[in-house]
Amino acid sequence: MRRRVARHLAVQVDGEGALRDRCAGRIIESALLLLLLRKERALPRVQKELQEYLQRAQPKGTLERVVVDALSGRACEADELLAGLSGARHGSGMRKRLLLDTILVLCGLLPDGERPDPREIAPRPQAVWTELTLYAATILYVHDNAGAGADAGESGQEAAEYQELLVRRLAAFPARRVWEGNALCHLVALHALHTFRPGSELMREGIEALARLRGPDGGVPFIDGQEVFVTSLAGTALASAPGHERLAARMGQYLASRQHFDGGWGYNEATTQTDVDDTARCVELLRMLDARRYRHGIAAGEEYLCSRTNEAGGFPTYLRGHTSDLDMTAGAVIAMPWDRYGDMLAPAVGVLVDAQQQDGSFEPSWTLSRSSAILRILDALACVPAAETALHRRAAEATARAVAFLDESRGSDGGWGHAPGKDSDVLSTAQALATLARHAPGTDLAKPLAYLTDQQHDDGGFSSIADQAGPRPLPFDFPVLADVQALTALNRLIAHNAA
């Protein structure tokens, strides 16, 4: 099984060493492009093709279902969705929900009285797409209020400032490219641009880029690629698969060439935004491949990670001071050597242990699967040296509870789903199998292995439901990750059985 999936994965790596899988189309982005084309009265053939995609696409969740109903002219039951979102529009959840609220507004699904004012969000440094979304949402809010007869004086001046910022950001990115590789953010920005510069060259270039991004399924994906993230995961898996060492070395060279001046990495080649997740994974692989050769890049990556740690010990996704994230915190612990950074990593491990839920699981962050979060966190807890007696004991206890959760949540078919009671899928099962192989030696894993055996295709590859989320909790899918996680699980199972 390992040889077959490794070969299937290896042939997808290009001559530069990158694995450039395509993100599957998604209803939200496809709907927003269709609405934009209708406003701009552009590309009638593309409009027709997007309508056909939306008619045959299978909605994943309530938001996608009500969007499809709204665009199809069917009565849509949005009350449940709006009730769920309203509770998260205040405090720390307000910024996270801004983009979802804006999507609902553009699709005509958010009543005027329910619409939040983006200006209520306290100004502070944000990720580049969050900043652009704030500009766009403010422009749309002021424009719609002015249309409803509200006072446009001070608000109009403020909107003009945001319009200038939005145009400057869009124009600074290469023409006819999806902005920062983020199709969803680009679409929201173009809807805002339409309110004051319809038909402009910037609009035409953006529409051209987004229409060209559509995949074989006819839909617009969330992002235009994830080659840095995917290559780092696949490289780590292939480096442990016999016969693929040279290929993994080439993948390492590719990743080293994609490091940014701040020492970090972004999720793909287009973005200027670096993050803790991609940086930790790239540092981990480069150290695994050749710590001496890549010592300067590794050192810069470690310095980047150090600059992001929060006072309480956790690590955010993008910027210091943002809410700490369990996945990011675990990644930083895995990537940084304890003998040099123990004083920083010990509080981070404390954050992870304290976040464990009563049932032994951890809340997923940028993924949807419980076993995904458990795998990453237990790998981090295993980094605690035995000399750290109290912390090592706490980590061992947390590991035992998480292992018990996996034991209890396994399905009758031998696999795992996103959560207990959910149908089994390849990604969740592979990540649970990888966890148990390393952190619960002696566990009988015959049934999970049999489940994966049944799921393997004739070409050696695997398929699964989506496990990534962005913006959370909307799922998006890079199909190759099923191969990557399956190979990772098989590597661990073979290695730990041999040991």
Side-chain angles (χ1 to χ4, degrees):
M1 284 179 67
R2 179 170 71 170
R3 283 196 299 269
R4 291 171 61 207
V5 68
R7 284 196 301 265
H8 180 74
L9 192 58
V11 298
Q12 299 178 67
V13 180
D14 66 17
E16 193 178 0
L19 209 165
R20 305 178 190 278
D21 192 30
R22 294 195 66 153
C23 184
R26 198 163 68 170
I27 285 174
I28 300 301
E29 288 77 10
S30 303
L32 290 179
L33 179 57
L34 176 58
L35 289 168
L36 182 65
L37 294 179
R38 287 175 178 173
K39 290 177 181 178
E40 289 283 319
R41 296 175 180 169
L43 305 181
R45 181 180 60 81
V46 175
Q47 289 189 44
K48 180 176 181 295
E49 292 170 353
L50 287 169
Q51 286 176 308
E52 292 171 349
Y53 167 80
L54 291 170
Q55 288 170 358
R56 65 176 180 269
Q58 295 297 317
K60 299 178 181 68
T62 306
L63 176 61
E64 290 193 347
R65 188 178 71 250
V66 298
V67 166
V68 168
D69 288 343
L71 266 69
S72 302
R74 297 190 295 267
C76 53
E77 299 293 334
D79 293 345
E80 178 185 349
L81 173 66
L82 296 175
L85 291 178
S86 63
R89 287 198 189 111
H90 306 285
S92 62
M94 189 172 183
R95 189 184 74 257
K96 296 179 182 180
R97 291 296 185 185
L98 173 64
L99 183 53
L100 296 179
D101 286 330
T102 305
I103 292 169
L104 292 171
V105 168
L106 293 172
C107 294
L109 290 166
L110 196 64
D112 291 339
E114 292 289 329
R115 186 168 183 177
D117 186 345
R119 296 168 299 182
E120 294 178 4
I121 296 178
R124 67 170 184 169
Q126 305 284 358
V128 292
W129 28 78
T130 303
E131 288 184 347
L132 193 68
T133 300
L134 278 167
Y135 302 158
T138 303
I139 292 165
L140 290 164
Y141 180 84
V142 173
H143 175 268
D144 289 352
N145 277 6
D151 181 14
E154 185 177 342
S155 294
Q157 182 179 353
E158 186 176 11
E161 295 173 0
Y162 280 104
Q163 289 171 4
E164 182 182 351
L165 288 168
L166 182 133
V167 168
R168 191 186 307 161
R169 285 292 181 90
L170 289 177
F173 206 74
R176 298 180 179 84
R177 295 285 303 276
V178 175
W179 189 83
E180 293 284 344
N182 190 315
L184 179 54
C185 184
H186 198 172
L187 281 160
V188 173
L190 291 181
H191 275 276
L193 183 68
H194 173 80
T195 65
F196 64 97
R197 286 195 187 179
S200 63
E201 183 177 0
L202 203 55
M203 176 69 76
R204 291 194 300 271
E205 290 175 347
I207 286 176
E208 178 184 329
L210 290 159
R212 191 171 58 246
L213 182 62
R214 291 176 302 144
D217 60 4
V220 182
F222 166 46
I223 50 180
D224 73 353
Q226 205 178 17
E227 53 275 5
V228 172
F229 176 77
V230 171
T231 301
S232 66
L233 267 67
T236 302
L238 285 167
S240 299
H244 297 283
E245 295 83 2
R246 291 180 62 183
L247 177 60
R250 189 164 82 236
M251 298 168 82
Q253 292 171 18
Y254 163 78
L255 291 173
S257 72
R258 294 297 168 183
Q259 191 170 21
H260 290 243
F261 288 115
D262 64 1
W265 279 264
Y267 71 95
N268 70 8
E269 295 175 351
T271 186
T272 62
Q273 178 68 63
T274 54
D275 63 80
V276 168
D277 192 17
D278 290 284
T279 301
R281 292 183 186 275
C282 289
V283 167
E284 181 184 353
L285 176 58
L286 294 181
R287 179 177 284 113
M288 177 183 182
L289 292 173
D290 194 333
R292 178 171 177 78
R293 176 179 181 178
Y294 295 116
R295 62 189 181 278
H296 297 301
I298 291 171
E302 291 174 355
E303 185 176 345
Y304 173 93
L305 293 172
C306 288
S307 71
R308 295 309 191 266
T309 183
N310 283 330
E311 289 184 9
F315 287 76
T317 303
Y318 300 113
L319 300 172
R320 179 181 171 87
H322 285 195
T323 303
S324 293
D325 181 282
L326 297 182
D327 236 353
M328 307 304 109
T329 302
V333 172
I334 294 167
M336 301 171 74
W338 196 280
D339 58 353
R340 295 205 338 246
Y341 299 102
D343 290 345
M344 178 186 300
L345 299 179
V349 169
V351 168
L352 296 175
V353 172
D354 290 341
Q356 190 169 33
Q357 298 186 338
Q358 193 170 12
D359 64 2
S361 70
F362 297 88
E363 188 69 30
S365 57
W366 293 102
T367 58
L368 300 169
S369 170
R370 297 276 170 174
S371 56
S372 171
I374 290 173
L375 171 61
R376 196 72 171 148
I377 291 170
L378 295 201
D379 282 357
L381 298 184
C383 297
V384 179
E388 298 277 350
T389 309
L391 190 59
H392 188 271
R393 183 178 64 253
R394 293 187 68 204
E397 291 169 351
T399 297
R401 288 194 296 271
V403 166
F405 170 83
L406 291 178
D407 284 339
E408 294 167 5
S409 59
R410 185 168 67 184
S412 59
D413 58 2
W416 284 264
H418 281 169
K422 298 291 186 180
D423 290 341
S424 297
D425 65 85
V426 167
L427 278 166
S428 299
T429 300
Q431 291 167 131
L433 182 59
T435 302
L436 295 173
R438 178 176 181 185
H439 301 291
T443 302
D444 184 359
L445 298 176
K447 286 192 71 175
L449 182 59
Y451 174 86
L452 286 185
T453 302
D454 291 342
Q455 300 300 316
Q456 191 170 29
H457 304 315
D458 291 342
D459 62 5
F462 291 85
S463 299
S464 186
I465 60 174
D467 186 35
Q468 292 182 281
R472 293 173 280 190
L474 302 181
F476 67 97
D477 185 26
F478 276 82
V480 75
L481 290 177
D483 297 338
V484 172
Q485 296 295 355
L487 179 57
T488 299
L490 294 168
N491 282 338
R492 287 198 178 189
L493 187 58
I494 291 169
H496 286 279
N497 276 2

